[in-house]
PDB file of all heavy atoms in Angstrom:
ATOM      1  N   ARG G   1       0.087 -54.156  -0.068  1.00 96.00           N
ATOM      2  CA  ARG G   1      -1.171 -54.878   0.013  1.00 96.00           C
ATOM      3  C   ARG G   1      -2.283 -53.836   0.107  1.00 96.00           C
ATOM      4  O   ARG G   1      -2.333 -53.044   1.054  1.00 96.00           O
ATOM      5  CB  ARG G   1      -1.184 -55.792   1.239  1.00 96.00           C
ATOM      6  CG  ARG G   1      -2.295 -56.845   1.238  1.00 96.00           C
ATOM      7  CD  ARG G   1      -3.579 -56.263   1.755  1.00 96.00           C
ATOM      8  NE  ARG G   1      -4.618 -57.278   1.934  1.00 96.00           N
ATOM      9  CZ  ARG G   1      -5.906 -57.017   2.026  1.00 96.00           C
ATOM     10  NH1 ARG G   1      -6.346 -55.773   1.944  1.00 96.00           N
ATOM     11  NH2 ARG G   1      -6.766 -57.985   2.198  1.00 96.00           N
ATOM     12  N   GLY G   2      -3.179 -53.802  -0.876  1.00 96.00           N
ATOM     13  CA  GLY G   2      -4.258 -52.830  -0.842  1.00 96.00           C
ATOM     14  C   GLY G   2      -5.007 -52.777  -2.153  1.00 96.00           C
ATOM     15  O   GLY G   2      -4.667 -53.475  -3.111  1.00 96.00           O
ATOM     16  N   GLU G   3      -6.039 -51.954  -2.191  1.00 95.00           N
ATOM     17  CA  GLU G   3      -6.839 -51.757  -3.388  1.00 95.00           C
ATOM     18  C   GLU G   3      -6.348 -50.503  -4.111  1.00 95.00           C
ATOM     19  O   GLU G   3      -6.278 -49.427  -3.516  1.00 95.00           O
ATOM     20  CB  GLU G   3      -8.322 -51.623  -3.033  1.00 95.00           C
ATOM     21  CG  GLU G   3      -8.896 -52.882  -2.394  1.00 95.00           C
ATOM     22  CD  GLU G   3     -10.376 -52.729  -2.070  1.00 95.00           C
ATOM     23  OE1 GLU G   3     -10.940 -51.655  -2.388  1.00 95.00           O
ATOM     24  OE2 GLU G   3     -10.952 -53.677  -1.509  1.00 95.00           O
ATOM     25  N   PHE G   4      -6.035 -50.649  -5.369  1.00 97.00           N
ATOM     26  CA  PHE G   4      -5.476 -49.552  -6.152  1.00 97.00           C
ATOM     27  C   PHE G   4      -6.333 -48.288  -6.050  1.00 97.00           C
ATOM     28  O   PHE G   4      -5.810 -47.179  -5.923  1.00 97.00           O
ATOM     29  CB  PHE G   4      -5.352 -49.984  -7.612  1.00 97.00           C
ATOM     30  CG  PHE G   4      -4.939 -48.887  -8.549  1.00 97.00           C
ATOM     31  CD1 PHE G   4      -3.633 -48.412  -8.544  1.00 97.00           C
ATOM     32  CD2 PHE G   4      -5.854 -48.336  -9.435  1.00 97.00           C
ATOM     33  CE1 PHE G   4      -3.243 -47.394  -9.412  1.00 97.00           C
ATOM     34  CE2 PHE G   4      -5.479 -47.325 -10.309  1.00 97.00           C
ATOM     35  CZ  PHE G   4      -4.165 -46.850 -10.290  1.00 97.00           C
ATOM     36  N   GLU G   5      -7.640 -48.442  -6.087  1.00 94.00           N
ATOM     37  CA  GLU G   5      -8.536 -47.292  -6.072  1.00 94.00           C
ATOM     38  C   GLU G   5      -8.418 -46.474  -4.796  1.00 94.00           C
ATOM     39  O   GLU G   5      -8.700 -45.267  -4.800  1.00 94.00           O
ATOM     40  CB  GLU G   5     -10.003 -47.732  -6.220  1.00 94.00           C
ATOM     41  CG  GLU G   5     -10.273 -48.626  -7.428  1.00 94.00           C
ATOM     42  CD  GLU G   5     -10.294 -50.088  -7.042  1.00 94.00           C
ATOM     43  OE1 GLU G   5      -9.300 -50.543  -6.447  1.00 94.00           O
ATOM     44  OE2 GLU G   5     -11.297 -50.768  -7.322  1.00 94.00           O
ATOM     45  N   ASN G   6      -7.968 -47.101  -3.703  1.00 94.00           N
ATOM     46  CA  ASN G   6      -7.955 -46.430  -2.404  1.00 94.00           C
ATOM     47  C   ASN G   6      -6.562 -46.031  -1.935  1.00 94.00           C
ATOM     48  O   ASN G   6      -6.425 -45.489  -0.832  1.00 94.00           O
ATOM     49  CB  ASN G   6      -8.599 -47.350  -1.352  1.00 94.00           C
ATOM     50  CG  ASN G   6     -10.034 -47.689  -1.680  1.00 94.00           C
ATOM     51  OD1 ASN G   6     -10.761 -46.879  -2.239  1.00 94.00           O
ATOM     52  ND2 ASN G   6     -10.454 -48.911  -1.361  1.00 94.00           N
ATOM     53  N   LEU G   7      -5.552 -46.297  -2.734  1.00 97.00           N
ATOM     54  CA  LEU G   7      -4.182 -45.984  -2.339  1.00 97.00           C
ATOM     55  C   LEU G   7      -3.779 -44.586  -2.793  1.00 97.00           C
ATOM     56  O   LEU G   7      -4.262 -44.079  -3.799  1.00 97.00           O
ATOM     57  CB  LEU G   7      -3.214 -47.006  -2.928  1.00 97.00           C
ATOM     58  CG  LEU G   7      -3.343 -48.446  -2.402  1.00 97.00           C
ATOM     59  CD1 LEU G   7      -2.461 -49.382  -3.212  1.00 97.00           C
ATOM     60  CD2 LEU G   7      -2.977 -48.517  -0.922  1.00 97.00           C
ATOM     61  N   THR G   8      -2.889 -43.972  -2.025  1.00 95.00           N
ATOM     62  CA  THR G   8      -2.309 -42.674  -2.374  1.00 95.00           C
ATOM     63  C   THR G   8      -0.849 -42.887  -2.758  1.00 95.00           C
ATOM     64  O   THR G   8      -0.118 -43.621  -2.080  1.00 95.00           O
ATOM     65  CB  THR G   8      -2.394 -41.697  -1.188  1.00 95.00           C
ATOM     66  OG1 THR G   8      -3.772 -41.520  -0.835  1.00 95.00           O
ATOM     67  CG2 THR G   8      -1.801 -40.345  -1.563  1.00 95.00           C
ATOM     68  N   PHE G   9      -0.418 -42.266  -3.848  1.00 95.00           N
ATOM     69  CA  PHE G   9       0.942 -42.460  -4.353  1.00 95.00           C
ATOM     70  C   PHE G   9       1.713 -41.144  -4.323  1.00 95.00           C
ATOM     71  O   PHE G   9       1.197 -40.098  -4.735  1.00 95.00           O
ATOM     72  CB  PHE G   9       0.906 -43.001  -5.788  1.00 95.00           C
ATOM     73  CG  PHE G   9       0.201 -44.321  -5.912  1.00 95.00           C
ATOM     74  CD1 PHE G   9      -1.167 -44.371  -6.160  1.00 95.00           C
ATOM     75  CD2 PHE G   9       0.903 -45.507  -5.764  1.00 95.00           C
ATOM     76  CE1 PHE G   9      -1.819 -45.583  -6.271  1.00 95.00           C
ATOM     77  CE2 PHE G   9       0.254 -46.726  -5.871  1.00 95.00           C
ATOM     78  CZ  PHE G   9      -1.109 -46.763  -6.122  1.00 95.00           C
ATOM     79  N   ALA G  10       2.948 -41.219  -3.848  1.00 91.00           N
ATOM     80  CA  ALA G  10       3.804 -40.031  -3.803  1.00 91.00           C
ATOM     81  C   ALA G  10       4.692 -39.935  -5.033  1.00 91.00           C
ATOM     82  O   ALA G  10       5.264 -38.867  -5.303  1.00 91.00           O
ATOM     83  CB  ALA G  10       4.673 -40.064  -2.543  1.00 91.00           C
ATOM     84  N   ASP G  11       4.817 -41.030  -5.782  1.00 93.00           N
ATOM     85  CA  ASP G  11       5.731 -41.079  -6.924  1.00 93.00           C
ATOM     86  C   ASP G  11       4.975 -41.014  -8.239  1.00 93.00           C
ATOM     87  O   ASP G  11       3.773 -41.258  -8.318  1.00 93.00           O
ATOM     88  CB  ASP G  11       6.560 -42.376  -6.885  1.00 93.00           C
ATOM     89  CG  ASP G  11       7.444 -42.466  -5.663  1.00 93.00           C
ATOM     90  OD1 ASP G  11       8.011 -41.441  -5.263  1.00 93.00           O
ATOM     91  OD2 ASP G  11       7.550 -43.571  -5.099  1.00 93.00           O
ATOM     92  N   TYR G  12       5.751 -40.699  -9.299  1.00 97.00           N
ATOM     93  CA  TYR G  12       5.282 -40.835 -10.678  1.00 97.00           C
ATOM     94  C   TYR G  12       6.054 -41.992 -11.314  1.00 97.00           C
ATOM     95  O   TYR G  12       7.190 -42.289 -10.923  1.00 97.00           O
ATOM     96  CB  TYR G  12       5.512 -39.546 -11.471  1.00 97.00           C
ATOM     97  CG  TYR G  12       4.697 -38.382 -10.959  1.00 97.00           C
ATOM     98  CD1 TYR G  12       5.256 -37.455 -10.093  1.00 97.00           C
ATOM     99  CD2 TYR G  12       3.371 -38.225 -11.338  1.00 97.00           C
ATOM    100  CE1 TYR G  12       4.516 -36.386  -9.613  1.00 97.00           C
ATOM    101  CE2 TYR G  12       2.618 -37.161 -10.873  1.00 97.00           C
ATOM    102  CZ  TYR G  12       3.195 -36.244 -10.006  1.00 97.00           C
ATOM    103  OH  TYR G  12       2.455 -35.195  -9.530  1.00 97.00           O
ATOM    104  N   TYR G  13       5.450 -42.632 -12.299  1.00 98.00           N
ATOM    105  CA  TYR G  13       6.013 -43.859 -12.845  1.00 98.00           C
ATOM    106  C   TYR G  13       6.247 -43.734 -14.349  1.00 98.00           C
ATOM    107  O   TYR G  13       5.471 -43.097 -15.065  1.00 98.00           O
ATOM    108  CB  TYR G  13       5.086 -45.044 -12.560  1.00 98.00           C
ATOM    109  CG  TYR G  13       4.880 -45.266 -11.085  1.00 98.00           C
ATOM    110  CD1 TYR G  13       3.825 -44.647 -10.411  1.00 98.00           C
ATOM    111  CD2 TYR G  13       5.755 -46.057 -10.353  1.00 98.00           C
ATOM    112  CE1 TYR G  13       3.644 -44.829  -9.047  1.00 98.00           C
ATOM    113  CE2 TYR G  13       5.578 -46.246  -8.987  1.00 98.00           C
ATOM    114  CZ  TYR G  13       4.525 -45.626  -8.344  1.00 98.00           C
ATOM    115  OH  TYR G  13       4.354 -45.795  -6.987  1.00 98.00           O
ATOM    116  N   ASN G  14       7.315 -44.381 -14.810  1.00 98.00           N
ATOM    117  CA  ASN G  14       7.563 -44.460 -16.247  1.00 98.00           C
ATOM    118  C   ASN G  14       6.593 -45.421 -16.917  1.00 98.00           C
ATOM    119  O   ASN G  14       6.211 -45.219 -18.083  1.00 98.00           O
ATOM    120  CB  ASN G  14       9.003 -44.924 -16.513  1.00 98.00           C
ATOM    121  CG  ASN G  14      10.030 -44.005 -15.903  1.00 98.00           C
ATOM    122  OD1 ASN G  14      10.690 -44.376 -14.926  1.00 98.00           O
ATOM    123  ND2 ASN G  14      10.159 -42.791 -16.425  1.00 98.00           N
ATOM    124  N   TYR G  15       6.207 -46.455 -16.175  1.00 98.00           N
ATOM    125  CA  TYR G  15       5.277 -47.463 -16.698  1.00 98.00           C
ATOM    126  C   TYR G  15       4.304 -47.872 -15.603  1.00 98.00           C
ATOM    127  O   TYR G  15       4.673 -47.986 -14.428  1.00 98.00           O
ATOM    128  CB  TYR G  15       6.020 -48.716 -17.171  1.00 98.00           C
ATOM    129  CG  TYR G  15       7.082 -48.467 -18.205  1.00 98.00           C
ATOM    130  CD1 TYR G  15       8.411 -48.258 -17.834  1.00 98.00           C
ATOM    131  CD2 TYR G  15       6.763 -48.431 -19.563  1.00 98.00           C
ATOM    132  CE1 TYR G  15       9.386 -48.021 -18.785  1.00 98.00           C
ATOM    133  CE2 TYR G  15       7.734 -48.194 -20.516  1.00 98.00           C
ATOM    134  CZ  TYR G  15       9.040 -47.986 -20.120  1.00 98.00           C
ATOM    135  OH  TYR G  15      10.000 -47.748 -21.063  1.00 98.00           O
ATOM    136  N   ILE G  16       3.071 -48.114 -16.009  1.00 98.00           N
ATOM    137  CA  ILE G  16       2.084 -48.757 -15.143  1.00 98.00           C
ATOM    138  C   ILE G  16       1.516 -49.937 -15.921  1.00 98.00           C
ATOM    139  O   ILE G  16       1.124 -49.796 -17.085  1.00 98.00           O
ATOM    140  CB  ILE G  16       0.961 -47.795 -14.733  1.00 98.00           C
ATOM    141  CG1 ILE G  16       1.532 -46.636 -13.911  1.00 98.00           C
ATOM    142  CG2 ILE G  16      -0.119 -48.532 -13.936  1.00 98.00           C
ATOM    143  CD1 ILE G  16       0.509 -45.588 -13.510  1.00 98.00           C
ATOM    144  N   SER G  17       1.500 -51.103 -15.299  1.00 98.00           N
ATOM    145  CA  SER G  17       1.009 -52.311 -15.965  1.00 98.00           C
ATOM    146  C   SER G  17      -0.175 -52.890 -15.206  1.00 98.00           C
ATOM    147  O   SER G  17      -0.242 -52.807 -13.974  1.00 98.00           O
ATOM    148  CB  SER G  17       2.123 -53.363 -16.089  1.00 98.00           C
ATOM    149  OG  SER G  17       2.629 -53.712 -14.812  1.00 98.00           O
ATOM    150  N   MET G  18      -1.099 -53.462 -15.970  1.00 98.00           N
ATOM    151  CA  MET G  18      -2.236 -54.189 -15.410  1.00 98.00           C
ATOM    152  C   MET G  18      -2.446 -55.430 -16.259  1.00 98.00           C
ATOM    153  O   MET G  18      -3.031 -55.354 -17.345  1.00 98.00           O
ATOM    154  CB  MET G  18      -3.503 -53.331 -15.423  1.00 98.00           C
ATOM    155  CG  MET G  18      -3.496 -52.168 -14.465  1.00 98.00           C
ATOM    156  SD  MET G  18      -5.120 -51.342 -14.404  1.00 98.00           S
ATOM    157  CE  MET G  18      -4.781 -50.049 -13.221  1.00 98.00           C
ATOM    158  N   ASN G  19      -1.971 -56.543 -15.790  1.00 96.00           N
ATOM    159  CA  ASN G  19      -2.076 -57.803 -16.528  1.00 96.00           C
ATOM    160  C   ASN G  19      -3.153 -58.686 -15.921  1.00 96.00           C
ATOM    161  O   ASN G  19      -3.041 -59.124 -14.775  1.00 96.00           O
ATOM    162  CB  ASN G  19      -0.727 -58.532 -16.513  1.00 96.00           C
ATOM    163  CG  ASN G  19       0.330 -57.767 -17.274  1.00 96.00           C
ATOM    164  OD1 ASN G  19       0.051 -57.166 -18.310  1.00 96.00           O
ATOM    165  ND2 ASN G  19       1.558 -57.770 -16.767  1.00 96.00           N
ATOM    166  N   ASP G  20      -4.210 -58.918 -16.692  1.00 92.00           N
ATOM    167  CA  ASP G  20      -5.306 -59.777 -16.242  1.00 92.00           C
ATOM    168  C   ASP G  20      -5.908 -59.283 -14.932  1.00 92.00           C
ATOM    169  O   ASP G  20      -6.198 -60.073 -14.030  1.00 92.00           O
ATOM    170  CB  ASP G  20      -4.827 -61.225 -16.089  1.00 92.00           C
ATOM    171  CG  ASP G  20      -4.499 -61.864 -17.429  1.00 92.00           C
ATOM    172  OD1 ASP G  20      -5.268 -61.656 -18.386  1.00 92.00           O
ATOM    173  OD2 ASP G  20      -3.468 -62.560 -17.526  1.00 92.00           O
ATOM    174  N   ILE G  21      -6.109 -57.978 -14.842  1.00 93.00           N
ATOM    175  CA  ILE G  21      -6.690 -57.424 -13.619  1.00 93.00           C
ATOM    176  C   ILE G  21      -7.832 -56.460 -13.905  1.00 93.00           C
ATOM    177  O   ILE G  21      -8.768 -56.337 -13.116  1.00 93.00           O
ATOM    178  CB  ILE G  21      -5.592 -56.742 -12.756  1.00 93.00           C
ATOM    179  CG1 ILE G  21      -6.138 -56.356 -11.370  1.00 93.00           C
ATOM    180  CG2 ILE G  21      -5.039 -55.518 -13.455  1.00 93.00           C
ATOM    181  CD1 ILE G  21      -6.536 -57.531 -10.523  1.00 93.00           C
ATOM    182  N   LEU G  22      -7.815 -55.783 -15.053  1.00 95.00           N
ATOM    183  CA  LEU G  22      -8.813 -54.755 -15.339  1.00 95.00           C
ATOM    184  C   LEU G  22     -10.228 -55.320 -15.315  1.00 95.00           C
ATOM    185  O   LEU G  22     -11.183 -54.648 -14.904  1.00 95.00           O
ATOM    186  CB  LEU G  22      -8.515 -54.119 -16.705  1.00 95.00           C
ATOM    187  CG  LEU G  22      -9.254 -52.823 -17.044  1.00 95.00           C
ATOM    188  CD1 LEU G  22      -8.946 -51.726 -16.026  1.00 95.00           C
ATOM    189  CD2 LEU G  22      -8.883 -52.365 -18.448  1.00 95.00           C
ATOM    190  N   GLU G  23     -10.381 -56.575 -15.714  1.00 91.00           N
ATOM    191  CA  GLU G  23     -11.700 -57.210 -15.759  1.00 91.00           C
ATOM    192  C   GLU G  23     -12.275 -57.495 -14.371  1.00 91.00           C
ATOM    193  O   GLU G  23     -13.454 -57.827 -14.236  1.00 91.00           O
ATOM    194  CB  GLU G  23     -11.641 -58.510 -16.563  1.00 91.00           C
ATOM    195  CG  GLU G  23     -10.780 -59.599 -15.954  1.00 91.00           C
ATOM    196  CD  GLU G  23      -9.309 -59.519 -16.355  1.00 91.00           C
ATOM    197  OE1 GLU G  23      -8.870 -58.459 -16.850  1.00 91.00           O
ATOM    198  OE2 GLU G  23      -8.610 -60.540 -16.175  1.00 91.00           O
ATOM    199  N   HIS G  24     -11.446 -57.353 -13.332  1.00 87.00           N
ATOM    200  CA  HIS G  24     -11.892 -57.624 -11.973  1.00 87.00           C
ATOM    201  C   HIS G  24     -12.374 -56.377 -11.234  1.00 87.00           C
ATOM    202  O   HIS G  24     -12.959 -56.499 -10.158  1.00 87.00           O
ATOM    203  CB  HIS G  24     -10.760 -58.261 -11.163  1.00 87.00           C
ATOM    204  CG  HIS G  24     -10.270 -59.560 -11.703  1.00 87.00           C
ATOM    205  ND1 HIS G  24     -11.061 -60.686 -11.764  1.00 87.00           N
ATOM    206  CD2 HIS G  24      -9.066 -59.919 -12.225  1.00 87.00           C
ATOM    207  CE1 HIS G  24     -10.365 -61.685 -12.296  1.00 87.00           C
ATOM    208  NE2 HIS G  24      -9.156 -61.242 -12.587  1.00 87.00           N
ATOM    209  N   PHE G  25     -12.113 -55.198 -11.765  1.00 91.00           N
ATOM    210  CA  PHE G  25     -12.464 -53.974 -11.066  1.00 91.00           C
ATOM    211  C   PHE G  25     -13.956 -53.664 -11.192  1.00 91.00           C
ATOM    212  O   PHE G  25     -14.582 -53.932 -12.220  1.00 91.00           O
ATOM    213  CB  PHE G  25     -11.657 -52.790 -11.607  1.00 91.00           C
ATOM    214  CG  PHE G  25     -10.234 -52.752 -11.145  1.00 91.00           C
ATOM    215  CD1 PHE G  25      -9.196 -52.947 -12.043  1.00 91.00           C
ATOM    216  CD2 PHE G  25      -9.924 -52.506  -9.814  1.00 91.00           C
ATOM    217  CE1 PHE G  25      -7.881 -52.900 -11.624  1.00 91.00           C
ATOM    218  CE2 PHE G  25      -8.611 -52.453  -9.387  1.00 91.00           C
ATOM    219  CZ  PHE G  25      -7.586 -52.661 -10.291  1.00 91.00           C
ATOM    220  N   TYR G  26     -14.484 -53.045 -10.156  1.00 89.00           N
ATOM    221  CA  TYR G  26     -15.880 -52.612 -10.167  1.00 89.00           C
ATOM    222  C   TYR G  26     -16.123 -51.619 -11.297  1.00 89.00           C
ATOM    223  O   TYR G  26     -17.107 -51.723 -12.034  1.00 89.00           O
ATOM    224  CB  TYR G  26     -16.216 -51.988  -8.811  1.00 89.00           C
ATOM    225  CG  TYR G  26     -17.600 -51.419  -8.704  1.00 89.00           C
ATOM    226  CD1 TYR G  26     -18.718 -52.237  -8.803  1.00 89.00           C
ATOM    227  CD2 TYR G  26     -17.780 -50.053  -8.478  1.00 89.00           C
ATOM    228  CE1 TYR G  26     -19.992 -51.715  -8.691  1.00 89.00           C
ATOM    229  CE2 TYR G  26     -19.055 -49.521  -8.363  1.00 89.00           C
ATOM    230  CZ  TYR G  26     -20.156 -50.350  -8.468  1.00 89.00           C
ATOM    231  OH  TYR G  26     -21.410 -49.821  -8.362  1.00 89.00           O
ATOM    232  N   SER G  27     -15.212 -50.646 -11.466  1.00 93.00           N
ATOM    233  CA  SER G  27     -15.355 -49.654 -12.527  1.00 93.00           C
ATOM    234  C   SER G  27     -14.022 -49.470 -13.250  1.00 93.00           C
ATOM    235  O   SER G  27     -13.176 -48.676 -12.805  1.00 93.00           O
ATOM    236  CB  SER G  27     -15.822 -48.304 -11.971  1.00 93.00           C
ATOM    237  OG  SER G  27     -15.827 -47.324 -12.992  1.00 93.00           O
ATOM    238  N   PRO G  28     -13.779 -50.185 -14.353  1.00 96.00           N
ATOM    239  CA  PRO G  28     -12.538 -49.977 -15.116  1.00 96.00           C
ATOM    240  C   PRO G  28     -12.339 -48.525 -15.540  1.00 96.00           C
ATOM    241  O   PRO G  28     -11.208 -48.036 -15.575  1.00 96.00           O
ATOM    242  CB  PRO G  28     -12.734 -50.894 -16.329  1.00 96.00           C
ATOM    243  CG  PRO G  28     -13.632 -51.984 -15.836  1.00 96.00           C
ATOM    244  CD  PRO G  28     -14.582 -51.294 -14.897  1.00 96.00           C
ATOM    245  N   PHE G  29     -13.425 -47.820 -15.848  1.00 96.00           N
ATOM    246  CA  PHE G  29     -13.318 -46.417 -16.245  1.00 96.00           C
ATOM    247  C   PHE G  29     -12.680 -45.590 -15.133  1.00 96.00           C
ATOM    248  O   PHE G  29     -11.743 -44.818 -15.370  1.00 96.00           O
ATOM    249  CB  PHE G  29     -14.711 -45.872 -16.586  1.00 96.00           C
ATOM    250  CG  PHE G  29     -14.699 -44.470 -17.126  1.00 96.00           C
ATOM    251  CD1 PHE G  29     -14.669 -44.230 -18.490  1.00 96.00           C
ATOM    252  CD2 PHE G  29     -14.730 -43.378 -16.260  1.00 96.00           C
ATOM    253  CE1 PHE G  29     -14.653 -42.937 -18.993  1.00 96.00           C
ATOM    254  CE2 PHE G  29     -14.723 -42.083 -16.741  1.00 96.00           C
ATOM    255  CZ  PHE G  29     -14.682 -41.861 -18.111  1.00 96.00           C
ATOM    256  N   ASN G  30     -13.153 -45.742 -13.915  1.00 96.00           N
ATOM    257  CA  ASN G  30     -12.613 -44.971 -12.793  1.00 96.00           C
ATOM    258  C   ASN G  30     -11.174 -45.350 -12.487  1.00 96.00           C
ATOM    259  O   ASN G  30     -10.377 -44.506 -12.060  1.00 96.00           O
ATOM    260  CB  ASN G  30     -13.478 -45.170 -11.552  1.00 96.00           C
ATOM    261  CG  ASN G  30     -14.845 -44.530 -11.685  1.00 96.00           C
ATOM    262  OD1 ASN G  30     -15.069 -43.696 -12.569  1.00 96.00           O
ATOM    263  ND2 ASN G  30     -15.772 -44.928 -10.827  1.00 96.00           N
ATOM    264  N   VAL G  31     -10.838 -46.614 -12.688  1.00 97.00           N
ATOM    265  CA  VAL G  31      -9.465 -47.065 -12.453  1.00 97.00           C
ATOM    266  C   VAL G  31      -8.517 -46.432 -13.465  1.00 97.00           C
ATOM    267  O   VAL G  31      -7.478 -45.855 -13.106  1.00 97.00           O
ATOM    268  CB  VAL G  31      -9.391 -48.605 -12.523  1.00 97.00           C
ATOM    269  CG1 VAL G  31      -7.942 -49.073 -12.600  1.00 97.00           C
ATOM    270  CG2 VAL G  31     -10.071 -49.215 -11.312  1.00 97.00           C
ATOM    271  N   ILE G  32      -8.869 -46.519 -14.743  1.00 98.00           N
ATOM    272  CA  ILE G  32      -7.984 -45.983 -15.779  1.00 98.00           C
ATOM    273  C   ILE G  32      -7.897 -44.460 -15.694  1.00 98.00           C
ATOM    274  O   ILE G  32      -6.870 -43.864 -16.035  1.00 98.00           O
ATOM    275  CB  ILE G  32      -8.462 -46.433 -17.170  1.00 98.00           C
ATOM    276  CG1 ILE G  32      -8.353 -47.956 -17.278  1.00 98.00           C
ATOM    277  CG2 ILE G  32      -7.632 -45.783 -18.277  1.00 98.00           C
ATOM    278  CD1 ILE G  32      -8.859 -48.527 -18.582  1.00 98.00           C
ATOM    279  N   GLU G  33      -8.936 -43.840 -15.203  1.00 97.00           N
ATOM    280  CA  GLU G  33      -8.929 -42.379 -15.053  1.00 97.00           C
ATOM    281  C   GLU G  33      -7.782 -41.896 -14.178  1.00 97.00           C
ATOM    282  O   GLU G  33      -7.266 -40.784 -14.350  1.00 97.00           O
ATOM    283  CB  GLU G  33     -10.272 -41.939 -14.462  1.00 97.00           C
ATOM    284  CG  GLU G  33     -10.485 -40.448 -14.420  1.00 97.00           C
ATOM    285  CD  GLU G  33     -11.863 -40.086 -13.913  1.00 97.00           C
ATOM    286  OE1 GLU G  33     -12.421 -40.872 -13.098  1.00 97.00           O
ATOM    287  OE2 GLU G  33     -12.393 -39.039 -14.322  1.00 97.00           O
ATOM    288  N   ARG G  34      -7.329 -42.736 -13.244  1.00 97.00           N
ATOM    289  CA  ARG G  34      -6.228 -42.358 -12.345  1.00 97.00           C
ATOM    290  C   ARG G  34      -4.863 -42.435 -13.015  1.00 97.00           C
ATOM    291  O   ARG G  34      -3.919 -41.768 -12.583  1.00 97.00           O
ATOM    292  CB  ARG G  34      -6.194 -43.284 -11.124  1.00 97.00           C
ATOM    293  CG  ARG G  34      -7.372 -43.224 -10.199  1.00 97.00           C
ATOM    294  CD  ARG G  34      -7.015 -43.879  -8.878  1.00 97.00           C
ATOM    295  NE  ARG G  34      -6.057 -43.086  -8.129  1.00 97.00           N
ATOM    296  CZ  ARG G  34      -5.433 -43.509  -7.023  1.00 97.00           C
ATOM    297  NH1 ARG G  34      -5.646 -44.745  -6.572  1.00 97.00           N
ATOM    298  NH2 ARG G  34      -4.576 -42.731  -6.389  1.00 97.00           N
ATOM    299  N   ILE G  35      -4.752 -43.287 -14.039  1.00 98.00           N
ATOM    300  CA  ILE G  35      -3.438 -43.617 -14.585  1.00 98.00           C
ATOM    301  C   ILE G  35      -2.665 -42.409 -15.094  1.00 98.00           C
ATOM    302  O   ILE G  35      -1.481 -42.235 -14.756  1.00 98.00           O
ATOM    303  CB  ILE G  35      -3.573 -44.683 -15.695  1.00 98.00           C
ATOM    304  CG1 ILE G  35      -4.234 -45.959 -15.140  1.00 98.00           C
ATOM    305  CG2 ILE G  35      -2.208 -45.009 -16.290  1.00 98.00           C
ATOM    306  CD1 ILE G  35      -3.486 -46.632 -14.031  1.00 98.00           C
ATOM    307  N   PRO G  36      -3.237 -41.522 -15.918  1.00 98.00           N
ATOM    308  CA  PRO G  36      -2.451 -40.392 -16.431  1.00 98.00           C
ATOM    309  C   PRO G  36      -1.844 -39.512 -15.338  1.00 98.00           C
ATOM    310  O   PRO G  36      -0.779 -38.922 -15.536  1.00 98.00           O
ATOM    311  CB  PRO G  36      -3.468 -39.607 -17.272  1.00 98.00           C
ATOM    312  CG  PRO G  36      -4.476 -40.623 -17.678  1.00 98.00           C
ATOM    313  CD  PRO G  36      -4.592 -41.540 -16.505  1.00 98.00           C
ATOM    314  N   TYR G  37      -2.507 -39.430 -14.192  1.00 97.00           N
ATOM    315  CA  TYR G  37      -2.005 -38.595 -13.102  1.00 97.00           C
ATOM    316  C   TYR G  37      -0.835 -39.236 -12.363  1.00 97.00           C
ATOM    317  O   TYR G  37      -0.146 -38.566 -11.592  1.00 97.00           O
ATOM    318  CB  TYR G  37      -3.134 -38.310 -12.114  1.00 97.00           C
ATOM    319  CG  TYR G  37      -4.283 -37.539 -12.725  1.00 97.00           C
ATOM    320  CD1 TYR G  37      -5.436 -38.204 -13.140  1.00 97.00           C
ATOM    321  CD2 TYR G  37      -4.207 -36.165 -12.917  1.00 97.00           C
ATOM    322  CE1 TYR G  37      -6.493 -37.507 -13.713  1.00 97.00           C
ATOM    323  CE2 TYR G  37      -5.260 -35.462 -13.486  1.00 97.00           C
ATOM    324  CZ  TYR G  37      -6.396 -36.138 -13.886  1.00 97.00           C
ATOM    325  OH  TYR G  37      -7.434 -35.449 -14.460  1.00 97.00           O
ATOM    326  N   LEU G  38      -0.612 -40.531 -12.600  1.00 98.00           N
ATOM    327  CA  LEU G  38       0.489 -41.240 -11.941  1.00 98.00           C
ATOM    328  C   LEU G  38       1.679 -41.474 -12.865  1.00 98.00           C
ATOM    329  O   LEU G  38       2.734 -41.922 -12.409  1.00 98.00           O
ATOM    330  CB  LEU G  38      -0.010 -42.587 -11.412  1.00 98.00           C
ATOM    331  CG  LEU G  38      -1.108 -42.531 -10.338  1.00 98.00           C
ATOM    332  CD1 LEU G  38      -1.595 -43.935 -10.008  1.00 98.00           C
ATOM    333  CD2 LEU G  38      -0.601 -41.833  -9.087  1.00 98.00           C
TER     334      LEU G  38
END
């Protein structure tokens, strides 16, 4: 339970999915910027 922008992750992932959620973020650019690092 939390906000993706404020969470810290110890793992790397084979897949990251966002279904019907990107339109709800304050800054989609800042959100997607995190994805390659995870």
Side-chain angles (χ1 to χ4, degrees):
R1 194 276 187 199
E3 297 181 2
F4 173 73
E5 307 98 305
N6 300 326
L7 294 172
T8 300
F9 300 90
D11 297 321
Y12 295 97
Y13 300 91
N14 301 109
Y15 304 93
I16 297 177
S17 59
M18 291 187 180
N19 294 322
D20 292 318
I21 189 65
L22 193 60
E23 65 273 17
H24 299 296
F25 284 113
Y26 176 64
S27 174
F29 185 94
N30 291 344
V31 167
I32 296 177
E33 188 176 30
R34 295 196 70 190
I35 301 299
Y37 298 99
L38 297 175

